[in-house]
């Protein structure tokens, strides 16, 4: 079974804004909504996906990934935040994410690969899983509810 940091779950719920009940989303997956933020608290990936499914059943969630990404601050990543800040190039920062992403999730991994004219930062499956997010690639109904079109793994490119 895979795990996801409670940090991501809290960020996703916060990005939903007033459209959902925070306690109603976090409590069932084992996160105390009034408790301290602890990025090392891990929750089973199945519970995290169930939470996302419940959110999708209540509100339009298509903008949540963008709002979640925009809300991320390096200082919230614990000791890893300063490590990313200390990198002298974007490539070096991505390399640190690649090495340390296992601390946030055991479901996916990130890879920095050489690409034409630079490097590509890929979202990739853990060994033994289907390509991309396993739930999305299986044709999980959550994907059909959340997105208007099919989802493909994405890569960020940098020189």
């Amino acid at each position: 079974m895979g795990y996801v940091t409670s940090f991501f779950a809290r960020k996703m719920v916060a990005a939903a804004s007033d459209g959902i009940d925070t306690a109603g989303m976090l409590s069932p997956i084992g996160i105390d909504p009034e408790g301290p933020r602890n990025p090392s608290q891990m929750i089973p990936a199945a519970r995290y996906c169930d939470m996302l499914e419940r959110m999708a059943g209540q509100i339009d969630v298509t903008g949540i990934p963008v709002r979640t990404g925009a809300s991320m601050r390096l200082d919230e990543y614990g000791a890893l935040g300063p490590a990313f800040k200390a990198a002298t190039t974007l490539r070096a920062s991505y390399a640190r994410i690649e090495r340390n992403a296992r601390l946030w999730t055991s479901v996916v991994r990130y890879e920095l690969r050489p690409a034409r004219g630079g490097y590509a930062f890929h979202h990739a499956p853990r060994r033994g899983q289907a390509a991309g997010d396993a739930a999305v690639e299986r044709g999980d109904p959550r994907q059909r509810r959340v997105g208007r079109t099919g989802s493909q793994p994405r890569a960020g490119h940098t020189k």
Side-chain angles (χ1 to χ4, degrees):
M1 172 184 352
Y3 291 89
V4 176
T5 176
S6 61
F7 173 69
F8 289 147
R10 285 182 182 275
K11 284 289 190 175
M12 292 294 279
V13 170
S17 191
D18 297 331
I20 59 168
D21 172 33
T22 299
M25 288 296 147
L26 295 177
S27 295
I29 63 172
I31 299 173
D32 177 1
E34 301 301 321
R37 282 19 180 198
N38 180 1
S40 65
Q41 179 190 5
M42 303 299 279
I43 56 172
R47 286 187 192 172
Y48 177 75
C49 289
D50 288 343
M51 180 195 75
L52 296 178
E53 184 174 335
R54 284 185 284 121
M55 288 172 63
Q58 295 179 24
I59 61 171
D60 177 7
V61 295
T62 54
I64 289 179
V66 173
R67 290 193 303 273
T68 299
S71 75
M72 299 296 219
R73 301 292 177 260
L74 289 177
D75 294 336
E76 297 172 317
Y77 286 87
L80 297 177
F84 300 144
K85 286 181 180 181
T88 57
T89 65
L90 183 57
R91 177 179 156 199
S93 184
Y94 280 148
R96 290 174 184 194
I97 292 170
E98 174 187 26
R99 286 191 307 271
N100 295 294
R102 64 182 159 60
L103 299 174
W104 303 309
T105 179
S106 64
V107 178
V108 297
R109 63 187 163 88
Y110 300 91
E111 296 176 347
L112 187 62
R113 299 180 195 161
R116 185 178 47 180
Y119 289 84
F121 188 64
H122 292 268
H123 174 260
R126 288 282 178 193
R127 287 192 178 120
Q129 290 184 337
D133 180 354
V136 171
E137 295 299 317
R138 280 194 316 263
D140 191 300
R142 289 170 271 230
Q143 168 59 21
R144 288 191 293 277
R145 268 197 242 161
V146 174
R148 295 186 179 152
T149 61
S151 175
Q152 296 296 319
R154 301 280 186 217
H157 300 273
T158 183
K159 291 185 178 185

